[in-house]
């Protein structure tokens, strides 16, 4: 049957809408590639017939994912400048993200 289950989880201070078999990039998690990681801060779960809303999280719900390694984001230029005092400072930054493959969304009581 065409069950479309999805969830909203929080990790690294950001919220992501995820579904099974999806690949997302989250803030760096210090977990080796190929291990399993459980995301416990599940805020919302919905499938075709039911909707669960957390207050603020759903107790007992979790999302099981597999890390696929770490990737670097785009370079961000940080340029500080003060007029009339010959002050300029240029720095670059590349954030490291962990790529996660979502395996399954576990509802509470399953």
């Amino acid at each position: 049957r065409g069950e479309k289950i999805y969830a909203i989880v929080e990790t690294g201070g950001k919220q992501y809408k995820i579904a099974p078999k999806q690949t997302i990039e989250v803030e760096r998690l210090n977990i080796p590639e190929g291990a399993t990681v459980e995301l416990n801060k599940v805020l919302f779960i919905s499938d075709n017939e039911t909707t669960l809303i957390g207050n603020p999280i759903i107790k007992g719900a979790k999302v099981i994912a597999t890390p696929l390694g770490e990737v670097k984001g785009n370079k961000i230029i940080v340029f500080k400048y003060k007029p009339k005092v010959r002050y300029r400072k240029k720095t670059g930054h590349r954030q490291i993200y962990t790529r996660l493959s979502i395996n399954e969304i576990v509802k509470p009581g399953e």
Side-chain angles (χ1 to χ4, degrees):
R1 58 183 215 217
E3 185 176 309
K4 293 277 190 190
I5 184 169
Y6 70 94
I8 296 175
V9 296
E10 181 182 326
T11 176
K14 298 173 180 63
Q15 296 177 4
Y16 301 92
K17 178 183 173 187
I18 57 169
K21 300 185 181 74
Q22 184 184 1
T23 303
I24 59 169
E25 288 181 2
V26 300
E27 293 289 317
R28 183 169 187 250
L29 303 168
N30 203 0
I31 295 166
E33 187 174 336
T36 57
V37 59
E38 288 182 1
L39 304 174
N40 294 327
K41 282 193 172 180
V42 182
L43 308 174
F44 181 91
I45 296 176
S46 175
D47 56 20
N48 283 346
E49 53 270 348
T50 60
T51 299
L52 293 167
I53 300 172
N55 185 17
I57 64 170
I58 303 171
K59 287 187 171 46
K62 60 188 174 185
V63 172
I64 298 171
T66 306
L68 300 176
E70 294 179 348
V71 292
K72 277 187 163 184
N74 296 332
K75 179 172 267 195
I76 295 170
I77 304 295
V78 181
F79 190 73
K80 298 178 180 178
Y81 171 79
K82 291 189 178 168
K84 301 186 188 84
V85 291
R86 294 182 181 170
Y87 172 81
R88 19 182 99 58
K89 184 167 280 198
K90 180 179 176 182
T91 319
H93 176 75
R94 289 186 76 181
Q95 185 68 32
I96 297 177
Y97 297 103
T98 301
R99 192 169 273 153
L100 289 180
S101 171
I102 307 300
N103 297 345
E104 62 172 326
I105 297 169
V106 180
K107 294 182 193 169
E110 282 188 10

